[in-house]
Amino acid sequence: DIQLTQSPSFLSASVGDRVTITCRASQGIGSFLAWYQQKAEKAPKLLITLASLLRSGVPPRFSGSGSGSEFTLTITSLQPEDFATYYCQQLNTYPLTFGGGTKVEIK
Amino acid sequence: EVQLVESGGGLVQPGGSLRLSCAASRFTFSDSWMCWVRQAPGRGLEWVANIKEDGSEKYYVDSVKGRFTISRDNAKNSVYLQMDSLTVEDTAVYYCAREAYKIMETWGQGTLVTVSS
């Protein structure tokens, strides 16, 4: 199985900060990676597909990059509604797997 | 807007069975892969299983193979997860999601399954 390791697992940031989350795959997965946002007690929401394609309706302050085995999710100018947990997911190989999550909290 | 509504969760004893249902609306269900993803309390997301549009292909995570069965009824716009031989490790919120190219595009609100004696 492909393991996804997210770092950090927790980060504290302020409104307006730039935030970067990393997702490392245990083997190369090309650009077959998605990012999700999950707020407390809610279902996850898809943000980015194929490593860098922003889903329609997602604010442009979110961006994704990377290929192979290292990927990043960047949020420029963090907004109050962005405080949540973020997950990466590989779609290269079964079983589909998620990273452990990165919780973004208010400093 | 795509809508997915899960049902069937509840409390079950170890070794028991439960069948989850997911009713879909506002999209062409028969053209969509569907999947189940679960989240244990305070933990991350785990993909469980998915099923092709016509039900001809199904994939499972190893931890549920032989115990869980995913199925669908396109006439009823519904997908199901039959869970047998449940263990405490299966305790989780189970989400139904519409899949496109192995990406979970839209999620339901989830249904809680608690396995406990």
Side-chain angles (χ1 to χ4, degrees), chain B residues 13-28:
Chain B
Q13 291 189 337
S17 297
L18 212 55
R19 188 195 194 211
L20 305 183
S21 300
C22 172
S25 58
R26 301 176 190 166
F27 67 98
T28 307

Side-chain angles (χ1 to χ4, degrees), chain B residues 94-116:
Chain B
Y94 285 74
Y95 295 100
C96 160
R98 178 188 184 191
E99 253 193 41
Y101 305 104
K102 304 191 187 80
I103 297 167
M104 292 96 198
E105 284 193 328
T106 311
W107 302 61
Q109 85 288 350
T111 187
L112 176 63
V113 172
T114 303
V115 185
S116 175

Side-chain angles (χ1 to χ4, degrees), chain A residues 1 34 36 38 42-44 46 49-50 55 87 89 91 94-96 98 100, chain B residues 33 37 39 43-45 47 50 59 95 99 101-108:
Chain A
D1 298 2
Y36 301 84
Q38 186 179 32
K42 298 291 186 183
L46 177 64
T49 66
L50 295 177
R55 195 183 189 198
Y87 295 93
Q89 177 236 326
L91 41 139
Y94 285 118
L96 308 180
F98 290 88
Chain B
W33 280 73
V37 176
Q39 186 170 35
R43 305 294 296 275
L45 302 169
W47 173 84
N50 68 357
Y59 298 90
Y95 295 100
E99 253 193 41
Y101 305 104
K102 304 191 187 80
I103 297 167
M104 292 96 198
E105 284 193 328
T106 311
W107 302 61

